[in-house]
Amino acid sequence: MPETFEPKIVAFFCNWCTYLAADLAGTSRIKYAPNTRVVRVMCSGRVDPQFILDAFAKGADGVLIGGCHPGDCHYQEGNYKALRRFVLLKRLVKQMGIEEARLRLEWISAAEGERVKTVVNDMVEKLRVLGPRVPVRQKEVA
Amino acid sequence: MKPKVAFYWCASCGGCEEAVVDLDEKILDVANAVDIVFWPVALDFKEHDVEAMPDGSILASFINGAIRNSDQLKMAKLLRAKSQVVVAFGVCAQLGGIPGLANLSDAKGIFAEVFADGVAPVRFYKDNGHSLSLPEFFDTVVALDRVIDVDYYVPGCPPTPKIIGDALGVLLGSTLPPKGTVLAPDQALCEQCPRKDTRPEKLLLKEFKRVHQVVADQQTCLLAQGLACLGPGTRAGCEAMCPRGNMPCTGCFGPTSRVRDFGAKALSSLASIIDSDDEGEIARVLDALPDPAGTFYRYSLPSSLLGRRRME
Amino acid sequence: MSKANGDIRIGVYVCHCGTNISAVVDVKSLAAYGATLPNVVVSREYKYLCSDPGQDLIRQDIAERKLNRVVVASCSPHLHEQTFRNALATGGLNPFFLQMVNIREQDSWVTEDKQAATRKARDLVRAAARRVAWNESLERDRIPIHPAVMVVGGGIAGIHAALTLANSGKHVYLVEREPTIGGHMAQFDKTFPTLDCAACILTPKMSAVKSHKNITLWTYSEVTQVDGYVGNFKVKVRRWPRYIKEDLCSGCLECLKACVYKEAKFPDDFNVGLAKRKPIYISFPQAVPQVPVIDPETCIQFKSGKCKKTCIDACGERHAISLQMEEKTEEVEVGNIILATGSQPFDARRIPYYGYGVYPNVYTALEVERLVNASGPTAGEVVLRDGRTPKTVGIVHCVGSRDENTNRWCSRVCCMYSLKLAHLIKEHTGADIFNFYIDIRTPGKGFEEFYQKLLNERVHFVRGRVAEVTDWALDPTEEDKLVIRVEDTLAGIVRRIPVDMVVLATGLEPQADAEQVRRLFNISCASGGFFLERHPKLAPVSTFTDGIFLAGCCQGPKDIPDTVAQAGAAAAEALALIDAGFVETEPNAAYVMEEVCSGCKTCVAMCPFTAIEFLQEERKARINQAKCKGCGTCVAACPSGSIYQHLFEDRQIFEEIEGILTNA
């Protein structure tokens, strides 16, 4: 690659915790890697595995899901459902040859602006090492 | 003049052909109503016979099987040119089917697995002035609509006699449904399942079981018994044939029209009802489903969002 | 279901936000880029879109260019989604045809690389333009507001909020877990800067609470369960048994005198352990309600069953004492809840090198408040534990505040109360007082003047954070004293200052059970552990849960004037809702497409709000639109894709993903 590879991460952030944390990082002027593209949902429980696989299929180098800490979900239990799906999806994604670092679930509360920075920067670093995810459909038959 | 129809099989097991035969005496009605101009498994027409036909002269071609080599690709394109309507017959043609599981590997990997060390197929071979050729074996299996325009889909592995009969009725009827319609109800299987009322309203599972581990009760909802029944995510139409045979649904009728990726939705719903909030416990419960790709994409891997495994 | 049929006409608006966005993101090129996107008919940039002229710009375009979709790329939707939705509504377009793009909090403010920031903004604007085409026209529902309010916490914040609401004619349930209201303020002697007697200004309010016909006062009680939502909360309150009937007790306190324990033996919480109480006790003489409590852990009758029960005899014909009393749970309906649960003082034992709990003459500020108070354990005499009057006193500021090892924040009140205690101790004892400070923070009205007064009283101020309190004497002047070791940063030397008494100005921190309490009410905590306000400037008493408000130190350390102001503000917020009569919902409920639902019941297990019921006759699921909170968990779980969520439809989200990843 001629220039440094900049991974593109599609991030599904829950409105009440992680999205607010990302806003807090902003109001605190905390600087972090500009590689995320946030899709706001009300709850991490809204994140359908179809969205995650669609993002990978369309070329996302990484997918990050951000929700409230266990026990803190604004809607009581949505994040637990997200966790259950994530554990299974992780195994599927591994069978499909997608490296583990590309799919990540993080619990980030509304007060953790600093954590948004650490998580995003860490994920970007790991993805830089892995390189771009080339959607395999490109290598298919005509 | 009777309308002309053709049947062809691509990467398939032959079950869809048998399904047509399975229409029993109804097959005679079919044979009376139409002129079958191409059916390799049953009749002696050749490729060049098809090539000789004018374009669009076949009313409908029923193509089953997935596309996994260059010969199938060629025949699919040929039949498309010669037909007014192409029906993807069976889930292999609709979604890629069981042959689609080859997408967890590639040509090289498959040959290494199937043939002995050092033995690999050669595409072109010359011997004594004669040339032999084999079709190109693609790395990736795809569903029929990836390579040609498909008008209708008849789902199933194989489609049931009733579904075939319904589909034929629709196609021979006065108004054709919109192009791209799947000729089966657009609801999930639970609607037709005799065990539906026995599923508790709030079902949460502490265990999954596999079919060899338990003798399922004949009346109770199979999912409620811990078997990974995919009926809730699978299109209805088969009248719950497998549950009636005391086996959980494996999803051969594919998704409803509202779902883009069958496996993703199926795994979402099954994972969501695991009765635990602890990551370790959830993982332990899921150990009972050791092959998520095989379980959730048994019939639909090629047409899933990812399509195939990314090889190293 | 939405239909991207007919003509989609999108207007894209990029805000400079002064220079907040434009200094980093190339807003001009972004607006130009917006114009190239499919279905966009106009794309502009403007300095302050949220201002009136900014909104007029959008309204004008809606009228003149016949826009039916609007994308606004600016600050976080948490700040101005409502503003721009209103702009659409007043411009004649359904407010939900708006899609906001966050290019400030999540872009220009967090990125230094201008090109990367602009690229990010482009991706997000492109995604929003695709998504907004699938937005649909939605209407808000109205939820009626029950007029009663619950105030949790009976300190000065809770008391003021309750009185304000009660005076306006609303019914208030004031719940307090101690046996009396009054909170920490009741423990203070005088309040800064006016040196008003705390009890004198507090007790009339406490009394007003007791006698107000609109206030139901439940002390010795705590909230155990909260269900429902704004306008319709159902709250369960557990009332611990006092073993004395409130409606029969006359407050004569004869039972206390008559108790078989002639001497008080048990630690008295109100006096911070400096005094003792009997098993039957009242927190302080002006307690409201004026009804004692029997502590079953220490009362002989409860422990052995063999007491003479002289208390019951003393009560006589009133028969107010009832040892068979049981705990009771009340359940009430209220429309709003105000949390005024306060803070707790920092535990000075966490800083062992200050010697609290090790040397008997190291005190916390709250303990000293009780000492100087005329109704305290020493009747207002400032005496050490060995009975001596101190001749030198050192007051250590910032104990458990501004400290990386314990709490990082400034507790806001300690400088002022340290000055106050310096004044009071000097007044009571004539002692030589040293204040050891990092900064002297006296921002409030009259505060600086108070500081000047102290300087005139010859109180010594040493600028330096105390390193250690030790009793290890290095020379005879330090014998039998506590030595404060500190770097005097203004003089530039390390000093050893021997004192008789050390007072630790302990900071404020969240209550020990703040985490449990906030979960009970479904609100969040901020990073220090205090309850999180919706916006620090624009909504300091609201939370992210509609109908739940904050007042006082539970939201962050503050003094009494600010606490009372906040309590009034919280009451006003509640009143605004009650008087409006309704609150409008965010129309993001999920709904089952009943024609295609197969009745698999997967969704029923997903909803913690029991909003999904299974209809036995039709054998399908149905979602109650009023109960649905819009989390979308059932939507993601439905295996046949038969549940849709307004505002967050699958199709809309897929379009966003597509927009982000396809380089158009």
Side-chain angles (χ1 to χ4, degrees):
Chain A
M1 284 156 285
E3 3 163 288
T4 331
F5 155 58
E6 283 303 334
K8 201 176 262 191
I9 300 173
V10 175
F12 297 94
F13 284 171
C14 86
N15 184 55
W16 304 101
C17 282
T18 314
Y19 195 91
L20 277 179
D23 275 356
L24 176 62
T27 46
S28 317
R29 309 296 194 276
I30 296 172
K31 307 284 184 253
Y32 57 91
N35 304 60
T36 50
R37 306 289 183 263
V38 173
V39 175
R40 180 174 154 233
V41 288
M42 279 293 135
C43 178
S44 52
R46 177 69 187 92
V47 180
D48 190 323
Q50 292 186 105
F51 300 155
I52 300 169
L53 297 178
D54 190 50
F56 280 128
K58 294 195 162 88
D61 301 298
V63 174
L64 173 63
I65 305 152
C68 306
H69 286 266
D72 288 1
C73 179
H74 187 86
Y75 303 98
Q76 321 291 4
E77 302 167 0
N79 57 352
Y80 288 128
K81 272 69 162 207
L83 175 64
R84 298 170 195 172
R85 294 170 197 152
F86 178 77
V87 175
L88 184 50
L89 187 64
K90 259 250 182 255
R91 295 177 182 202
L92 174 79
V93 146
K94 184 169 176 196
Q95 280 185 290
M96 299 304 285
I98 296 179
E99 300 93 325
E100 183 163 350
R102 294 194 188 274
L103 175 60
R104 192 159 165 168
L105 173 68
E106 288 288 345
W107 307 127
I108 302 178
S109 81
E112 294 181 303
E114 190 66 42
R115 201 156 131 65
V116 172
K117 165 181 156 182
T118 15
V119 166
V120 171
N121 284 353
D122 181 63
M123 192 167 180
V124 168
E125 269 323 296
K126 294 195 159 88
L127 291 178
R128 279 219 181 89
V129 168
L130 288 178
R133 167 165 166 71
V134 180
V136 283
R137 285 198 174 269
Q138 289 178 9
K139 294 194 275 185
E140 250 179 63
V141 67
Chain B
M1 258 237 303
K2 286 196 278 190
K4 296 182 166 56
V5 299
F7 294 90
Y8 188 67
W9 50 0
C10 303
S12 88
C13 65
C16 285
E17 312 288 8
E18 290 191 34
V20 176
V21 172
D22 240 359
L23 294 171
D24 297 333
E25 52 281 1
K26 295 199 194 64
I27 190 74
L28 300 173
D29 295 334
V30 175
N32 281 338
V34 299
D35 205 359
I36 304 177
V37 295
F38 187 55
W39 195 2
V41 81
L43 303 171
D44 204 24
F45 298 105
K46 302 291 185 211
E47 195 179 310
H48 59 75
D49 293 317
V50 182
E51 280 167 352
M53 296 175 194
D55 279 3
S57 57
I58 302 176
L59 171 64
S61 282
F62 295 83
I63 305 179
N64 71 72
I67 306 292
R68 89 103 62 252
N69 68 35
S70 53
D71 188 55
Q72 292 153 0
L73 176 61
K74 182 181 62 166
M75 287 309 298
K77 289 191 165 160
L78 180 61
L79 285 166
R80 174 72 268 182
K82 305 298 178 186
S83 312
Q84 288 169 40
V85 164
V86 167
V87 178
F89 193 79
V91 79
C92 291
Q94 183 200 5
L95 301 174
I98 300 229
L101 289 172
N103 284 357
L104 292 174
S105 184
D106 59 5
K108 194 154 140 250
I110 291 173
F111 293 155
E113 176 85 21
V114 170
F115 300 116
D117 276 338
V119 175
V122 182
R123 264 203 87 186
F124 302 102
Y125 185 72
K126 272 188 163 52
D127 183 29
N128 253 342
H130 300 285
S131 303
L132 296 171
S133 71
L134 287 173
E136 183 188 345
F137 190 91
F138 298 139
D139 274 326
T140 301
V141 176
V142 295
L144 189 62
D145 60 11
R146 262 313 185 118
V147 300
I148 59 169
D149 234 4
V150 167
D151 295 287
Y152 300 103
Y153 302 86
V154 178
C157 180
T160 59
K162 180 172 188 305
I163 279 293
I164 299 173
D166 288 348
L168 283 174
V170 162
L171 292 171
L172 296 172
S174 44
T175 354
L176 287 177
K179 188 172 148 170
T181 305
V182 174
L183 299 173
D186 204 6
Q187 270 176 300
L189 185 59
C190 295
E191 179 67 18
Q192 296 185 328
C193 181
R195 306 187 188 214
K196 174 172 162 182
D197 288 335
T198 63
R199 178 175 172 169
E201 270 182 35
K202 277 209 172 137
L203 177 66
L204 291 169
L205 295 175
K206 290 206 188 295
E207 298 289 350
F208 281 114
K209 294 192 175 55
R210 297 175 66 191
V211 292
H212 62 277
Q213 292 174 325
V214 63
V215 176
D217 173 82
Q218 305 267 0
Q219 322 287 5
T220 321
C221 168
L222 292 161
L223 184 60
Q225 295 182 59
L227 293 161
C229 180
L230 302 184
T234 306
R235 196 184 274 264
C238 62
E239 318 258 312
M241 214 174 247
C242 294
R244 281 179 215 268
N246 215 26
M247 288 294 281
C249 166
T250 51
C252 78
F253 263 53
T256 63
S257 64
R258 302 174 291 286
V259 167
R260 289 188 191 203
D261 183 307
F262 177 88
K265 269 298 196 182
L267 78 82
S268 181
S269 69
L270 246 52
S272 297
I273 61 172
I274 293 174
D275 194 2
S276 173
D277 296 330
D278 171 71
E279 191 164 351
E281 177 63 18
I282 294 167
R284 191 197 63 75
V285 172
L286 287 172
D287 284 343
L289 299 175
D291 177 17
T295 307
F296 297 108
Y297 288 111
R298 186 184 294 224
Y299 304 96
S300 58
L301 188 57
S303 66
S304 69
L305 287 166
L306 292 177
R308 61 157 296 117
R309 173 191 168 85
R310 180 168 171 273
M311 308 306 294
E312 281 77 54
Chain C
M1 238 205 302
S2 67
K3 37 201 186 302
N5 62 356
D7 210 10
I8 299 291
R9 299 174 64 78
I10 305 175
V12 173
Y13 299 88
V14 179
C15 190
H16 295 218
C17 190
T19 53
N20 279 306
I21 295 176
S22 56
V24 179
V25 172
D26 185 348
V27 289
K28 283 199 169 5
S29 83
L30 186 60
Y33 176 68
T36 66
L37 297 171
N39 297 320
V40 172
V41 302
V42 64
S43 180
R44 301 185 192 281
E45 24 96 19
Y46 189 71
K47 254 200 154 34
Y48 293 105
L49 273 174
C50 55
S51 64
D52 266 347
Q55 293 182 50
D56 280 341
L57 203 57
I58 299 175
R59 279 189 279 258
Q60 211 173 333
D61 281 344
I62 291 174
E64 288 173 14
R65 309 271 187 140
K66 312 260 183 293
L67 298 183
N68 53 29
R69 301 287 192 280
V70 171
V71 169
V72 172
S74 59
C75 53
S76 170
H78 278 284
L79 202 51
H80 278 310
E81 188 168 55
Q82 204 40 53
T83 314
F84 290 114
R85 279 192 182 154
N86 287 342
L88 262 64
T90 48
L93 190 58
N94 183 282
F96 297 96
F97 284 131
L98 169 78
Q99 191 65 27
M100 277 189 77
V101 184
N102 186 335
I103 56 171
R104 194 184 71 166
E105 282 86 337
Q106 296 189 11
D107 193 11
S108 69
W109 276 354
V110 293
T111 318
E112 274 165 336
D113 179 339
K114 296 187 188 181
Q115 287 189 327
T118 308
R119 255 198 312 266
K120 185 169 179 172
R122 281 164 75 113
D123 285 353
L124 293 172
V125 167
R126 188 174 61 238
R130 287 192 76 121
R131 196 228 214 252
V132 81
W134 296 95
N135 279 22
E136 42 174 22
S137 170
L138 295 170
E139 296 300 323
R140 291 176 180 275
D141 274 329
R142 290 183 166 185
I143 301 178
I145 305 279
H146 192 292
V149 183
M150 176 169 288
V151 176
V152 183
I156 183 62
I159 288 171
H160 185 79
L163 285 172
T164 308
L165 287 162
N167 286 340
S168 80
K170 310 290 181 262
H171 193 85
V172 180
Y173 296 95
L174 179 55
V175 180
E176 164 58 52
R177 67 173 172 199
E178 295 297 322
T180 174
I181 53 176
H184 284 123
M185 190 174 169
Q187 293 172 298
F188 299 161
D189 179 42
K190 307 253 187 316
T191 57
F192 57 75
T194 48
L195 298 175
D196 281 309
C197 147
C200 306
I201 53 179
L202 178 61
T203 46
K205 284 177 104 93
M206 286 168 61
S207 181
V209 164
K210 184 73 188 122
S211 57
H212 208 299
K213 65 174 171 35
N214 289 336
I215 299 180
T216 299
L217 176 60
W218 285 338
T219 54
Y220 216 41
S221 306
E222 26 181 26
V223 174
T224 52
Q225 197 176 318
V226 181
D227 291 310
Y229 44 88
V230 59
N232 300 278
F233 290 109
K234 289 190 181 26
V235 187
K236 288 203 170 106
V237 178
R238 180 200 271 142
R239 310 213 53 209
W240 297 106
R242 302 173 99 101
Y243 306 104
I244 297 171
K245 297 193 185 147
E246 273 179 56
D247 47 353
L248 296 179
C249 174
S250 69
C252 66
L253 305 183
E254 289 295 319
C255 46
L256 267 67
K257 283 200 218 123
C259 177
V260 294
Y261 273 96
K262 286 299 150 216
E263 295 280 319
K265 272 186 72 176
F266 306 102
D268 174 1
D269 286 338
F270 186 79
N271 282 305
V272 205
L274 289 177
K276 304 240 189 290
R277 60 161 175 83
K278 300 183 184 180
I280 184 170
Y281 69 98
I282 194 164
S283 306
F284 58 98
Q286 300 82 20
V288 167
Q290 262 254 304
V291 178
V293 175
I294 299 179
D295 172 14
E297 308 266 304
T298 48
C299 167
I300 292 178
Q301 179 57 26
F302 279 94
K303 288 174 54 153
S304 69
K306 293 201 187 83
C307 180
K308 288 191 272 189
K309 294 181 270 194
T310 43
C311 53
I312 296 184
D313 295 333
C315 187
E317 290 165 352
R318 293 194 197 286
H319 302 297
I321 298 182
S322 165
L323 299 177
Q324 296 74 34
M325 219 183 220
E326 285 185 345
E327 80 174 53
K328 216 163 50 128
T329 299
E330 305 271 6
E331 193 167 339
V332 290
E333 279 185 33
V334 293
N336 292 281
I337 300 174
I338 297 178
L339 296 179
T341 50
S343 61
Q344 68 179 8
F346 174 79
D347 180 357
R349 279 171 300 203
R350 287 170 61 188
I351 305 185
Y353 43 89
Y354 284 168
Y356 182 72
V358 177
Y359 307 122
N361 294 331
V362 175
Y363 291 79
T364 62
L366 198 53
E367 288 173 336
V368 176
E369 287 279 351
R370 299 310 304 147
L371 288 180
V372 300
N373 188 274
S375 15
T378 55
E381 295 293 318
V382 180
V383 288
L384 300 169
R385 287 187 166 93
D386 55 16
R388 291 183 292 139
T389 304
K391 300 228 171 13
T392 41
V393 179
I395 302 182
V396 180
H397 290 216
C398 303
V399 176
S401 305
R402 303 186 68 185
D403 181 4
E404 282 197 7
N405 298 323
T406 53
N407 296 328
R408 284 174 174 245
W409 58 83
C410 164
S411 293
R412 203 151 155 178
V413 299
C414 322
C415 277
M416 279 307 295
Y417 80 54
S418 298
L419 295 178
K420 171 190 77 173
L421 289 178
H423 170 84
L424 293 172
I425 296 173
K426 203 167 180 68
E427 195 178 58
H428 284 235
T429 63
D432 222 9
I433 319 260
F434 290 84
N435 279 56
F436 301 94
Y437 68 97
I438 306 177
D439 294 285
I440 295 290
R441 294 183 162 176
T442 50
K445 216 167 177 175
F447 288 14
E448 184 62 25
E449 293 84 335
F450 190 73
Y451 176 40
Q452 290 299 322
K453 180 171 129 102
L454 265 289
L455 288 171
N456 287 335
E457 285 176 10
R458 307 291 174 92
V459 170
H460 309 289
F461 286 89
V462 177
R463 184 175 179 278
R465 182 167 220 152
V466 169
E468 187 189 13
V469 172
T470 173
D471 67 351
W472 197 345
L474 281 189
D475 68 58
T477 62
E478 294 180 357
E479 298 282 339
D480 295 325
K481 296 225 187 259
L482 289 170
V483 177
I484 293 183
R485 289 183 64 233
V486 62
E487 181 193 353
D488 184 337
T489 56
L490 293 177
I493 49 169
V494 173
R495 295 171 66 173
R496 293 174 65 95
I497 300 177
V499 296
D500 295 317
M501 178 188 203
V502 174
V503 181
L504 300 177
T506 45
L508 269 45
E509 56 180 28
Q511 293 273 21
D513 63 350
E515 251 306 292
Q516 282 100 286
V517 170
R518 72 136 188 112
R519 278 179 201 202
L520 201 55
F521 293 93
N522 197 23
I523 58 170
S524 312
C525 280
S527 49
F530 293 100
F531 297 150
L532 183 64
E533 65 287 323
R534 187 179 276 249
H535 190 278
K537 292 190 177 44
L538 301 179
V541 297
S542 308
T543 62
F544 283 103
T545 304
D546 290 336
I548 307 217
F549 303 100
L550 306 173
C553 289
C554 62
Q555 184 259 350
K558 56 180 67 72
D559 57 20
I560 294 167
D562 286 348
T563 295
V564 171
Q566 254 201 353
E573 296 282 346
L575 279 169
L577 286 182
I578 300 169
D579 280 356
F582 61 83
V583 79
E584 288 187 319
T585 58
E586 182 77 350
N588 61 6
Y591 66 99
V592 174
M593 307 244 325
E594 290 179 26
E595 358 27 300
V596 291
C597 169
S598 72
C600 77
K601 305 174 207 167
T602 302
C603 55
V604 183
M606 291 295 107
C607 186
F609 304 102
T610 57
I612 308 182
E613 68 173 309
F614 184 69
L615 307 170
Q616 293 297 339
E617 283 256 339
E618 296 89 322
R619 297 164 89 225
K620 289 176 189 294
R622 177 173 291 165
I623 298 177
N624 179 318
Q625 297 289 294
K627 281 185 173 178
C628 173
K629 300 270 146 273
C631 70
T633 302
C634 58
V635 187
C638 175
S640 63
S642 305
I643 305 182
Y644 280 75
Q645 180 180 13
H646 290 298
L647 276 191
F648 292 92
E649 289 180 33
D650 277 355
R651 178 156 31 201
Q652 292 166 350
I653 298 175
F654 278 122
E655 288 292 325
E656 249 186 278
I657 298 170
E658 177 88 31
I660 286 170
L661 294 168
T662 23
N663 288 313

